[in-house]
PDB file of all heavy atoms in Angstrom:
ATOM      1  N   LEU A1190      14.081  12.179 -20.582  1.00 96.00           N
ATOM      2  CA  LEU A1190      12.644  11.913 -20.452  1.00 96.00           C
ATOM      3  C   LEU A1190      11.976  12.833 -19.436  1.00 96.00           C
ATOM      4  O   LEU A1190      10.786  13.116 -19.538  1.00 96.00           O
ATOM      5  CB  LEU A1190      12.411  10.451 -20.069  1.00 96.00           C
ATOM      6  CG  LEU A1190      12.614   9.498 -21.236  1.00 96.00           C
ATOM      7  CD1 LEU A1190      12.538   8.054 -20.781  1.00 96.00           C
ATOM      8  CD2 LEU A1190      11.585   9.748 -22.336  1.00 96.00           C
ATOM      9  N   LYS A1191      12.759  13.308 -18.486  1.00 92.00           N
ATOM     10  CA  LYS A1191      12.186  14.238 -17.501  1.00 92.00           C
ATOM     11  C   LYS A1191      11.626  15.483 -18.193  1.00 92.00           C
ATOM     12  O   LYS A1191      10.682  16.091 -17.709  1.00 92.00           O
ATOM     13  CB  LYS A1191      13.260  14.684 -16.505  1.00 92.00           C
ATOM     14  CG  LYS A1191      13.450  13.738 -15.362  1.00 92.00           C
ATOM     15  CD  LYS A1191      14.523  14.294 -14.462  1.00 92.00           C
ATOM     16  CE  LYS A1191      14.346  13.850 -13.048  1.00 92.00           C
ATOM     17  NZ  LYS A1191      15.361  14.404 -12.168  1.00 92.00           N
ATOM     18  N   HIS A1193      10.523  15.486 -21.406  1.00 96.00           N
ATOM     19  CA  HIS A1193       9.727  15.064 -22.572  1.00 96.00           C
ATOM     20  C   HIS A1193       8.297  15.577 -22.455  1.00 96.00           C
ATOM     21  O   HIS A1193       7.721  15.559 -21.369  1.00 96.00           O
ATOM     22  CB  HIS A1193       9.740  13.526 -22.587  1.00 96.00           C
ATOM     23  CG  HIS A1193       9.274  12.915 -23.864  1.00 96.00           C
ATOM     24  ND1 HIS A1193       7.977  12.974 -24.275  1.00 96.00           N
ATOM     25  CD2 HIS A1193       9.945  12.204 -24.809  1.00 96.00           C
ATOM     26  CE1 HIS A1193       7.854  12.333 -25.431  1.00 96.00           C
ATOM     27  NE2 HIS A1193       9.049  11.856 -25.772  1.00 96.00           N
ATOM     28  N   ASP A1194       7.713  16.038 -23.579  1.00 95.00           N
ATOM     29  CA  ASP A1194       6.374  16.640 -23.451  1.00 95.00           C
ATOM     30  C   ASP A1194       5.271  15.601 -23.219  1.00 95.00           C
ATOM     31  O   ASP A1194       4.135  15.965 -22.910  1.00 95.00           O
ATOM     32  CB  ASP A1194       6.049  17.557 -24.636  1.00 95.00           C
ATOM     33  CG  ASP A1194       6.116  16.815 -25.949  1.00 95.00           C
ATOM     34  OD1 ASP A1194       6.440  15.606 -25.932  1.00 95.00           O
ATOM     35  OD2 ASP A1194       5.838  17.430 -27.002  1.00 95.00           O
ATOM     36  N   GLN A1195       5.577  14.314 -23.383  1.00 97.00           N
ATOM     37  CA  GLN A1195       4.553  13.312 -23.064  1.00 97.00           C
ATOM     38  C   GLN A1195       4.910  12.515 -21.811  1.00 97.00           C
ATOM     39  O   GLN A1195       4.483  11.373 -21.628  1.00 97.00           O
ATOM     40  CB  GLN A1195       4.349  12.378 -24.250  1.00 97.00           C
ATOM     41  CG  GLN A1195       3.608  13.081 -25.385  1.00 97.00           C
ATOM     42  CD  GLN A1195       3.704  12.312 -26.673  1.00 97.00           C
ATOM     43  OE1 GLN A1195       3.542  11.106 -26.689  1.00 97.00           O
ATOM     44  NE2 GLN A1195       3.999  13.007 -27.745  1.00 97.00           N
ATOM     45  N   VAL A1196       5.719  13.142 -21.000  1.00 98.00           N
ATOM     46  CA  VAL A1196       6.031  12.538 -19.690  1.00 98.00           C
ATOM     47  C   VAL A1196       5.593  13.541 -18.640  1.00 98.00           C
ATOM     48  O   VAL A1196       5.937  14.714 -18.715  1.00 98.00           O
ATOM     49  CB  VAL A1196       7.544  12.251 -19.561  1.00 98.00           C
ATOM     50  CG1 VAL A1196       7.900  11.853 -18.136  1.00 98.00           C
ATOM     51  CG2 VAL A1196       7.949  11.141 -20.527  1.00 98.00           C
ATOM     52  N   ARG A1197       4.786  13.060 -17.690  1.00 97.00           N
ATOM     53  CA  ARG A1197       4.224  13.992 -16.701  1.00 97.00           C
ATOM     54  C   ARG A1197       4.567  13.539 -15.291  1.00 97.00           C
ATOM     55  O   ARG A1197       4.700  12.347 -15.015  1.00 97.00           O
ATOM     56  CB  ARG A1197       2.698  14.006 -16.847  1.00 97.00           C
ATOM     57  CG  ARG A1197       2.228  14.384 -18.251  1.00 97.00           C
ATOM     58  CD  ARG A1197       2.254  15.871 -18.438  1.00 97.00           C
ATOM     59  NE  ARG A1197       1.294  16.488 -17.553  1.00 97.00           N
ATOM     60  CZ  ARG A1197       0.017  16.681 -17.858  1.00 97.00           C
ATOM     61  NH1 ARG A1197      -0.431  16.328 -19.036  1.00 97.00           N
ATOM     62  NH2 ARG A1197      -0.800  17.242 -16.984  1.00 97.00           N
ATOM     63  N   SER A1198       4.682  14.533 -14.407  1.00 96.00           N
ATOM     64  CA  SER A1198       4.842  14.159 -13.002  1.00 96.00           C
ATOM     65  C   SER A1198       3.460  13.798 -12.486  1.00 96.00           C
ATOM     66  O   SER A1198       2.444  14.332 -12.958  1.00 96.00           O
ATOM     67  CB  SER A1198       5.408  15.315 -12.189  1.00 96.00           C
ATOM     68  OG  SER A1198       4.405  16.284 -12.035  1.00 96.00           O
ATOM     69  N   LEU A1199       3.423  12.907 -11.529  1.00 97.00           N
ATOM     70  CA  LEU A1199       2.119  12.493 -11.019  1.00 97.00           C
ATOM     71  C   LEU A1199       1.357  13.669 -10.406  1.00 97.00           C
ATOM     72  O   LEU A1199       0.140  13.760 -10.498  1.00 97.00           O
ATOM     73  CB  LEU A1199       2.317  11.388  -9.987  1.00 97.00           C
ATOM     74  CG  LEU A1199       1.077  10.550  -9.867  1.00 97.00           C
ATOM     75  CD1 LEU A1199       1.365   9.146 -10.308  1.00 97.00           C
ATOM     76  CD2 LEU A1199       0.565  10.560  -8.466  1.00 97.00           C
ATOM     77  N   ALA A1200       2.121  14.616  -9.806  1.00 96.00           N
ATOM     78  CA  ALA A1200       1.481  15.777  -9.179  1.00 96.00           C
ATOM     79  C   ALA A1200       0.687  16.603 -10.196  1.00 96.00           C
ATOM     80  O   ALA A1200      -0.253  17.299  -9.828  1.00 96.00           O
ATOM     81  CB  ALA A1200       2.529  16.641  -8.505  1.00 96.00           C
ATOM     82  N   SER A1201       1.055  16.525 -11.480  1.00 96.00           N
ATOM     83  CA  SER A1201       0.328  17.322 -12.471  1.00 96.00           C
ATOM     84  C   SER A1201      -0.934  16.595 -12.943  1.00 96.00           C
ATOM     85  O   SER A1201      -1.726  17.149 -13.701  1.00 96.00           O
ATOM     86  CB  SER A1201       1.240  17.634 -13.670  1.00 96.00           C
ATOM     87  OG  SER A1201       1.451  16.449 -14.422  1.00 96.00           O
ATOM     88  N   LEU A1202      -1.124  15.366 -12.509  1.00 96.00           N
ATOM     89  CA  LEU A1202      -2.277  14.587 -12.963  1.00 96.00           C
ATOM     90  C   LEU A1202      -3.261  14.254 -11.848  1.00 96.00           C
ATOM     91  O   LEU A1202      -4.428  13.960 -12.108  1.00 96.00           O
ATOM     92  CB  LEU A1202      -1.793  13.244 -13.548  1.00 96.00           C
ATOM     93  CG  LEU A1202      -0.872  13.324 -14.753  1.00 96.00           C
ATOM     94  CD1 LEU A1202      -0.243  11.974 -15.035  1.00 96.00           C
ATOM     95  CD2 LEU A1202      -1.658  13.822 -15.965  1.00 96.00           C
ATOM     96  N   GLN A1349      -7.996  15.363 -14.237  1.00 83.00           N
ATOM     97  CA  GLN A1349      -8.603  15.594 -15.540  1.00 83.00           C
ATOM     98  C   GLN A1349      -9.005  14.279 -16.174  1.00 83.00           C
ATOM     99  O   GLN A1349      -8.915  13.237 -15.569  1.00 83.00           O
ATOM    100  CB  GLN A1349      -7.628  16.364 -16.419  1.00 83.00           C
ATOM    101  CG  GLN A1349      -6.174  16.070 -16.042  1.00 83.00           C
ATOM    102  CD  GLN A1349      -5.200  16.633 -17.012  1.00 83.00           C
ATOM    103  OE1 GLN A1349      -5.290  16.317 -18.185  1.00 83.00           O
ATOM    104  NE2 GLN A1349      -4.275  17.445 -16.537  1.00 83.00           N
ATOM    105  N   VAL A1351      -8.065  11.866 -17.700  1.00 93.00           N
ATOM    106  CA  VAL A1351      -7.134  10.798 -18.072  1.00 93.00           C
ATOM    107  C   VAL A1351      -7.722   9.517 -17.492  1.00 93.00           C
ATOM    108  O   VAL A1351      -8.014   9.463 -16.298  1.00 93.00           O
ATOM    109  CB  VAL A1351      -5.739  11.023 -17.453  1.00 93.00           C
ATOM    110  CG1 VAL A1351      -4.792   9.915 -17.873  1.00 93.00           C
ATOM    111  CG2 VAL A1351      -5.200  12.376 -17.860  1.00 93.00           C
ATOM    112  N   LEU A1364       9.774   3.373 -17.060  1.00 98.00           N
ATOM    113  CA  LEU A1364      10.023   4.773 -16.704  1.00 98.00           C
ATOM    114  C   LEU A1364       9.488   5.066 -15.297  1.00 98.00           C
ATOM    115  O   LEU A1364      10.187   5.612 -14.444  1.00 98.00           O
ATOM    116  CB  LEU A1364       9.338   5.695 -17.725  1.00 98.00           C
ATOM    117  CG  LEU A1364       9.310   7.171 -17.347  1.00 98.00           C
ATOM    118  CD1 LEU A1364      10.714   7.755 -17.333  1.00 98.00           C
ATOM    119  CD2 LEU A1364       8.414   7.970 -18.297  1.00 98.00           C
ATOM    120  N   ASP A1389       4.416  12.198  -5.676  1.00 95.00           N
ATOM    121  CA  ASP A1389       4.120  13.371  -6.521  1.00 95.00           C
ATOM    122  C   ASP A1389       5.144  13.537  -7.634  1.00 95.00           C
ATOM    123  O   ASP A1389       4.838  13.997  -8.719  1.00 95.00           O
ATOM    124  CB  ASP A1389       4.194  14.655  -5.667  1.00 95.00           C
ATOM    125  CG  ASP A1389       2.871  14.952  -4.982  1.00 95.00           C
ATOM    126  OD1 ASP A1389       1.870  14.314  -5.338  1.00 95.00           O
ATOM    127  OD2 ASP A1389       2.863  15.821  -4.094  1.00 95.00           O
ATOM    128  N   ARG A1390       6.389  13.187  -7.331  1.00 93.00           N
ATOM    129  CA  ARG A1390       7.457  13.410  -8.311  1.00 93.00           C
ATOM    130  C   ARG A1390       7.638  12.237  -9.277  1.00 93.00           C
ATOM    131  O   ARG A1390       8.451  12.322 -10.199  1.00 93.00           O
ATOM    132  CB  ARG A1390       8.784  13.672  -7.583  1.00 93.00           C
ATOM    133  CG  ARG A1390       8.847  15.039  -6.926  1.00 93.00           C
ATOM    134  CD  ARG A1390      10.264  15.345  -6.493  1.00 93.00           C
ATOM    135  NE  ARG A1390      10.677  14.447  -5.450  1.00 93.00           N
ATOM    136  CZ  ARG A1390      10.580  14.719  -4.148  1.00 93.00           C
ATOM    137  NH1 ARG A1390      10.097  15.873  -3.756  1.00 93.00           N
ATOM    138  NH2 ARG A1390      10.968  13.855  -3.251  1.00 93.00           N
ATOM    139  N   ALA A1391       6.876  11.155  -9.065  1.00 96.00           N
ATOM    140  CA  ALA A1391       7.002  10.003  -9.982  1.00 96.00           C
ATOM    141  C   ALA A1391       6.647  10.455 -11.396  1.00 96.00           C
ATOM    142  O   ALA A1391       5.763  11.293 -11.592  1.00 96.00           O
ATOM    143  CB  ALA A1391       6.078   8.883  -9.526  1.00 96.00           C
ATOM    144  N   LEU A1392       7.336   9.899 -12.378  1.00 97.00           N
ATOM    145  CA  LEU A1392       7.081  10.282 -13.772  1.00 97.00           C
ATOM    146  C   LEU A1392       6.217   9.238 -14.459  1.00 97.00           C
ATOM    147  O   LEU A1392       6.442   8.040 -14.291  1.00 97.00           O
ATOM    148  CB  LEU A1392       8.403  10.402 -14.525  1.00 97.00           C
ATOM    149  CG  LEU A1392       9.370  11.458 -14.012  1.00 97.00           C
ATOM    150  CD1 LEU A1392      10.617  11.499 -14.890  1.00 97.00           C
ATOM    151  CD2 LEU A1392       8.703  12.833 -13.992  1.00 97.00           C
ATOM    152  N   LEU A1393       5.240   9.714 -15.236  1.00 98.00           N
ATOM    153  CA  LEU A1393       4.347   8.791 -15.945  1.00 98.00           C
ATOM    154  C   LEU A1393       4.359   9.086 -17.431  1.00 98.00           C
ATOM    155  O   LEU A1393       4.323  10.259 -17.838  1.00 98.00           O
ATOM    156  CB  LEU A1393       2.918   8.966 -15.438  1.00 98.00           C
ATOM    157  CG  LEU A1393       2.602   8.220 -14.148  1.00 98.00           C
ATOM    158  CD1 LEU A1393       1.490   8.898 -13.406  1.00 98.00           C
ATOM    159  CD2 LEU A1393       2.232   6.774 -14.454  1.00 98.00           C
ATOM    160  N   PRO A1394       4.366   8.036 -18.254  1.00 98.00           N
ATOM    161  CA  PRO A1394       4.258   8.279 -19.694  1.00 98.00           C
ATOM    162  C   PRO A1394       2.797   8.578 -20.019  1.00 98.00           C
ATOM    163  O   PRO A1394       1.907   7.866 -19.551  1.00 98.00           O
ATOM    164  CB  PRO A1394       4.685   6.937 -20.304  1.00 98.00           C
ATOM    165  CG  PRO A1394       4.405   5.914 -19.243  1.00 98.00           C
ATOM    166  CD  PRO A1394       4.471   6.614 -17.914  1.00 98.00           C
ATOM    167  N   LEU A1395       2.561   9.623 -20.762  1.00 97.00           N
ATOM    168  CA  LEU A1395       1.181   9.951 -21.115  1.00 97.00           C
ATOM    169  C   LEU A1395       1.101  10.290 -22.604  1.00 97.00           C
ATOM    170  O   LEU A1395       1.213  11.459 -22.990  1.00 97.00           O
ATOM    171  CB  LEU A1395       0.709  11.137 -20.266  1.00 97.00           C
ATOM    172  CG  LEU A1395      -0.789  11.282 -20.179  1.00 97.00           C
ATOM    173  CD1 LEU A1395      -1.397  10.172 -19.338  1.00 97.00           C
ATOM    174  CD2 LEU A1395      -1.150  12.630 -19.588  1.00 97.00           C
TER     175      LEU A1395
END
Side-chain angles (χ1 to χ4, degrees):
L1190 285 173
K1191 275 180 152 181
H1193 194 291
D1194 58 359
Q1195 287 165 44
V1196 170
R1197 303 279 295 272
S1198 73
L1199 204 116
S1201 71
L1202 299 168
Q1349 29 171 303
V1351 181
L1364 170 66
D1389 273 348
R1390 287 192 294 266
L1392 298 182
L1393 278 154
L1395 200 71

